[in-house]
Amino acid sequence: MAREAYLVPVLEAQVATLKKKTAVTTSWISIDAKGKSVILDVDKYAIMRRVQVHARDLRILDPMLSYPSTILGREKVIVLNLEHIKAIITAEEVLLRDPYDDNVIPIVAELKRRLPQDNLTCQDQGEEEEEHPSARNDMDTEEENEFPFEFRALEVALEAICSFLDARTRELEIDAYPALDELTSKLYLCGQISSRNLDRVRKLKSAMTRLTNRVQKVRDELEQLLDDDDDMADLYLSRKLAGACSPVGSFSVPSWYPPSPTIGSKISRTSRASAVTVEEDNDVEELEMLLEAYFMQIDSTLNKLTTLREYIDDTEDYINIQLDNHRNQLIQLELFVSSGTVCLSIYSLVAAIFGMNIPYTWKEGHEYMFKWVVILTGLLCTSTFTSIVSYARHKGLIGS
């Protein structure tokens, strides 16, 4: 019994150690509204508790799973999966996965540069307010209409993915157009196609197909968002946070506001705007303009790829026409050779008849018939050859 009592805690310790080992941690970077960043090496459960997101939404950001490009609006977060950009945006911070990836490092730098822009604006407005108190109302209006934090982060992500895909498209165009022109020029001049050029064009076409699918997924996601106002309204995290924290219809500062005049003025403005927010929950014009701008950019990239695909299809049609032309020439040559063979067969038939070693009475004293036989056989062969060629031209087997 004592031995069994000793084994139980050992097994529990082993199970606890095993759980710690099986907990997979991933690298995240947290960037707040001031541009400050913190590297987080945590597992998915810590991220779920931090931003209050479900596991099914977090699974979308798993690079091991092939999920399409997605922009999801949840109660307190925006889940963003755009190619290599896998981020969770809240009203206060941005969590970006794999911050050490080569494609993600420029995005981190851009977020640090552009997210704290509103703080600088507020400082400048504070200095102007001390000098010009009459401009306070104008500044209040500007602060109420300032771009929300989540939209600034979303704009950086959309700009990065659109620029990334457009750069890949330009690189593909630089490689594809010269290769296609070289393929057609060699076919026109030399009448033959290099297998090396064909393999190069095949790889470029495969790369174009994959890139087109990637661009199409991003475009479809933006188009789906633009078609649904409710989905766009779900992306207004600051509006939902202000509606949850501010009493609706209250136009005065409540007693539970903090004593700080700066915070109190901000909460007062949020409280004044809350009544308008309740009436204009579906007012998504600001986000719609943002999404439309990048939708037009990604649609332009897709048009470039469509033009490239049409150019490749035209090149394939041209090559097929040239190959059909060469094939027809070979058929024509084969027809001529076959016609000549038939004519020679007629000569061979006549020669075989006259060459038989059989005694005939009409052979004696009729040597002058030899030349007439040769002439008639030649005319018969010529007429046979002409008839075959005319029939082939009539059926369209050879050109005129």
Side-chain angles (χ1 to χ4, degrees):
M1 297 296 292
R3 189 173 184 178
E4 293 179 357
Y6 174 73
L7 290 175
V8 171
V10 173
L11 292 175
E12 291 179 354
Q14 291 177 353
V15 172
T17 305
L18 183 62
K19 288 183 177 179
K20 290 181 180 180
K21 289 182 179 180
T22 55
V24 180
T25 61
T26 55
S27 295
W28 296 76
I29 185 171
S30 173
I31 306 174
D32 59 10
K34 296 181 180 180
K36 297 181 180 179
S37 61
V38 178
I39 300 295
L40 304 174
D41 290 325
V42 294
D43 56 4
K44 63 179 181 180
Y45 301 104
I47 296 296
M48 291 167 57
R49 291 191 298 268
R50 183 184 181 96
V51 298
Q52 299 180 11
V53 68
H54 293 289
R56 66 175 182 271
D57 297 331
L58 193 61
R59 195 176 297 115
I60 298 175
L61 305 180
D62 192 349
M64 302 301 295
L65 303 176
S66 57
Y67 278 93
S69 298
T70 308
I71 301 175
L72 292 179
R74 293 296 183 250
E75 183 64 27
K76 296 182 179 180
V77 299
I78 298 175
V79 181
L80 200 65
N81 178 27
L82 297 174
E83 295 287 328
H84 54 274
I85 304 176
K86 302 180 184 299
I88 300 176
I89 303 174
T90 68
E92 300 173 351
E93 65 175 350
V94 179
L95 291 174
L96 197 62
R97 182 165 181 161
D98 299 330
Y100 300 110
D101 187 82
D102 293 337
N103 294 323
V104 180
I105 291 176
I107 303 173
V108 174
E110 190 69 12
L111 286 171
K112 291 180 180 180
R113 185 181 69 86
R114 295 174 60 174
L115 289 182
Q117 185 176 0
D118 59 336
N119 295 330
L120 299 176
T121 304
C122 291
Q123 292 178 2
D124 295 340
Q125 289 179 353
E127 295 176 357
E128 292 180 0
E129 183 179 351
E130 293 178 357
E131 297 177 359
H132 305 283
S134 61
R136 181 182 181 86
N137 294 330
D138 296 336
M139 286 185 287
D140 289 345
T141 305
E142 292 178 359
E143 288 182 359
E144 289 176 4
N145 296 330
E146 66 182 359
F147 214 44
F149 170 81
E150 63 270 17
F151 290 170
R152 296 199 304 274
L154 181 62
E155 183 180 11
V156 172
L158 291 175
E159 181 179 350
I161 192 61
C162 291
S163 301
F164 175 80
L165 293 176
D166 187 66
R168 301 289 83 77
T169 301
R170 289 197 301 269
E171 292 176 359
L172 186 62
E173 287 178 336
I174 292 174
D175 294 336
Y177 284 114
L180 294 171
D181 294 337
E182 182 182 1
L183 188 66
T184 54
S185 62
K186 285 189 175 182
L187 178 62
Y188 179 76
L189 296 176
C190 305
Q192 59 184 1
I193 300 176
S194 173
S195 58
R196 181 181 62 86
N197 290 338
L198 277 178
D199 185 66
R200 181 185 178 189
V201 172
R202 179 188 61 83
K203 292 179 180 179
L204 289 173
K205 185 176 181 181
S206 300
M208 183 208 64
T209 302
R210 292 193 298 269
L211 183 59
T212 302
N213 292 333
R214 293 162 61 186
V215 174
Q216 185 68 48
K217 290 177 182 178
V218 177
R219 181 188 179 280
D220 292 344
E221 182 62 24
L222 293 178
E223 185 178 13
Q224 183 179 358
L225 273 176
L226 288 170
D227 291 340
D228 196 335
D229 291 347
D230 293 335
D231 289 343
M232 285 191 288
D234 290 337
L235 302 182
Y236 280 81
L237 303 181
S238 299
R239 176 188 295 177
K240 290 188 289 186
L241 183 63
C245 297
S246 300
V248 179
S250 175
F251 295 92
S252 61
V253 180
S255 59
W256 45 266
Y257 280 163
S260 173
T262 305
I263 299 177
S265 60
K266 289 184 178 180
I267 296 178
S268 176
R269 287 191 294 271
T270 304
S271 177
R272 291 196 303 269
S274 61
V276 181
T277 302
V278 173
E279 296 178 359
E280 299 180 356
D281 282 340
N282 293 326
D283 183 13
V284 293
E285 183 179 358
E286 187 178 25
L287 178 60
E288 187 175 3
M289 289 188 296
L290 173 65
L291 294 178
E292 280 182 353
Y294 292 101
F295 175 79
M296 296 299 295
Q297 184 175 351
I298 200 69
D299 189 63
S300 175
T301 303
L302 185 61
N303 290 335
K304 292 180 183 179
L305 292 171
T306 303
T307 304
L308 180 59
R309 175 180 289 276
E310 292 176 354
Y311 193 81
I312 292 177
D313 293 339
D314 294 341
T315 304
E316 289 180 350
D317 294 339
Y318 174 76
I319 292 175
N320 290 330
I321 291 172
Q322 291 294 330
L323 292 178
D324 290 340
N325 185 29
H326 292 308
R327 191 180 298 112
N328 292 335
Q329 292 177 359
L330 291 176
I331 293 174
Q332 184 176 359
L333 178 61
E334 183 182 3
L335 181 61
F336 288 156
V337 172
S338 300
S339 302
T341 304
V342 170
C343 296
L344 291 177
S345 298
I346 296 175
Y347 269 106
S348 300
L349 176 63
V350 174
I353 293 174
F354 280 93
M356 291 182 182
N357 193 14
I358 300 175
Y360 287 105
T361 57
W362 56 271
K363 288 185 177 181
E364 299 176 358
H366 297 84
E367 290 83 1
Y368 65 92
M369 291 295 296
F370 177 75
K371 63 178 181 181
W372 293 108
V373 170
V374 173
I375 293 173
L376 292 175
T377 305
L379 292 175
L380 179 61
C381 293
T382 304
S383 62
T384 304
F385 181 79
T386 306
S387 300
I388 293 174
V389 173
S390 300
Y391 178 78
R393 287 177 177 174
H394 178 69
K395 293 297 184 181
L397 298 178
I398 59 175
S400 57

